């Protein structure tokens, strides 16, 4: 499961926009919002997002569901 709050925070911290990220990796706004809502990205998405945002964000894609229940 993806910690989407942290993902979005990392995108903002690096002075990027979600739009810039999803357009760069070849997703539509609808695809991006669907993945964010479901908190799930496939391996190609993860690789491409890390290529744009930074490889050090990889842990946000592998979060235990229980840790997100707050």
């Amino acid at each position: 499961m993806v910690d989407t709050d942290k993902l979005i925070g990392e995108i903002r911290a690096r002075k990027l926009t979600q739009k810039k990220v999803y357009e760069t990796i070849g997703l539509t706004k609808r695809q991006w919002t669907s993945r964010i809502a479901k908190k799930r990205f496939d391996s190609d998405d993860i690789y491409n997002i890390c290529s744009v945002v930074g490889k050090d964000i990889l842990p946000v894609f592998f979060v235990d569901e229980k840790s997100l229940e707050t």
Side-chain angles (χ1 to χ4, degrees):
M1 180 156 280
V2 179
D3 187 338
T4 54
D5 291 335
K6 282 188 180 179
L7 174 60
I8 293 168
E10 288 294 335
I11 291 169
R12 289 180 181 155
R14 293 157 202 254
K15 308 285 192 251
L16 297 168
T17 63
Q18 291 182 64
K19 181 178 181 180
K20 176 70 173 172
V21 173
Y22 70 71
E23 286 180 343
T24 301
I25 67 170
L27 295 178
T28 65
K29 182 178 182 179
R30 185 176 189 171
Q31 291 169 317
W32 177 261
T33 55
S34 174
R35 286 165 169 81
I36 291 288
K38 292 177 183 176
K39 299 182 182 286
R40 301 220 185 272
F41 288 85
D42 65 29
S43 58
D44 288 338
D45 292 335
I46 294 169
Y47 176 82
N48 291 329
I49 292 167
C50 286
S51 294
V52 174
V53 181
K55 294 192 184 336
D56 59 320
I57 68 158
L58 191 59
V60 305
F61 293 102
F62 302 101
V63 178
D64 180 23
E65 267 185 78
K66 293 179 184 177
S67 66
L68 294 177
E69 295 174 0
T70 56

